[in-house]
Amino acid sequence: MINKNVDVDSLVTVVELSELFGVSVRTVQRLAQEGVLPEPEGKQGNANLYSLKRATRAYCDYLKKKVEQQADNSGDKLKEEKMQADIKLKEMQIEIIQLKTDIKKGEYIDRGTVLKDFRAFYKVFKRFALNIPGRIAAIAKGYVEPVVSKGIKKDLRQEITSMLNNFTVVGYKGETYKQEKPYPSKRHGRK
């Protein structure tokens, strides 16, 4: 039954509204259920018929409100992001003040002292690391021939020297150590 006060030519179905609005039929049905669209003006079979003019106006109002809400939300989001940035700035300023205070109190070590201590540590570490091949060779002497034991010592020393040469720490380049000349060896599966 169609309302007699409405122009029959301006009545459209949900399918026609979905095509006009550029959305799915399901979206138009959901909008009708949520009360966004006006009540149907009548039916044609099982299909609801809507006034094109009233439905279009209602949908435009709905979109306008949706855009305004998003604008409000994005404005709130920008305010929140600004507040978070201000908080981080204040925290960083506090850290800078704390660092300056600690430096004045002498709670930080200057770079020269750190480098001097690091160099001393590195020399001790190098001596320790380069003694490892000799210790392993001494242990291996009881299990392998002396020539093989010397070869193990030489190979390990060469490997450790290579590793020490590649050892770097940010801000400090370690000493370069002489690498022993590689020697041909057929032991340990090498050719």
Side-chain angles (χ1 to χ4, degrees), residues 6-7 9-12 17 20-21 36-38 41 49-61:
V6 177
D7 181 14
D9 293 333
S10 69
L11 295 177
V12 290
L17 282 176
L20 288 169
F21 295 163
V36 173
L37 298 180
E41 300 293 336
L49 296 174
Y50 293 90
S51 165
L52 178 61
K53 186 176 181 180
R54 289 179 62 210
T56 304
R57 185 175 296 135
Y59 186 64
C60 288
D61 289 344

Side-chain angles (χ1 to χ4, degrees), residues 3 11 22 25 27 45-46 50 53 57-58 61-62 69-70 96 101 106-107 113 115 118 127-128 156-157 187:
N3 186 347
L11 295 177
V25 171
T27 300
N46 286 337
Y50 293 90
K53 186 176 181 180
R57 185 175 296 135
D61 289 344
Y62 165 77
Q69 286 175 345
Q70 287 177 347
I96 290 171
T101 305
E107 293 182 10
T113 304
L115 285 174
F118 177 75
R127 261 188 257 125
F128 169 78
L156 285 174
R157 187 170 181 86
R187 64 183 168 272

Side-chain angles (χ1 to χ4, degrees), residues 56-80:
T56 304
R57 185 175 296 135
Y59 186 64
C60 288
D61 289 344
Y62 165 77
L63 292 177
K64 184 178 176 185
K65 286 178 186 175
K66 193 173 178 180
V67 167
E68 287 171 356
Q69 286 175 345
Q70 287 177 347
D72 288 343
N73 290 343
S74 67
D76 291 343
K77 188 175 181 181
L78 288 175
K79 286 177 187 176
E80 185 180 330

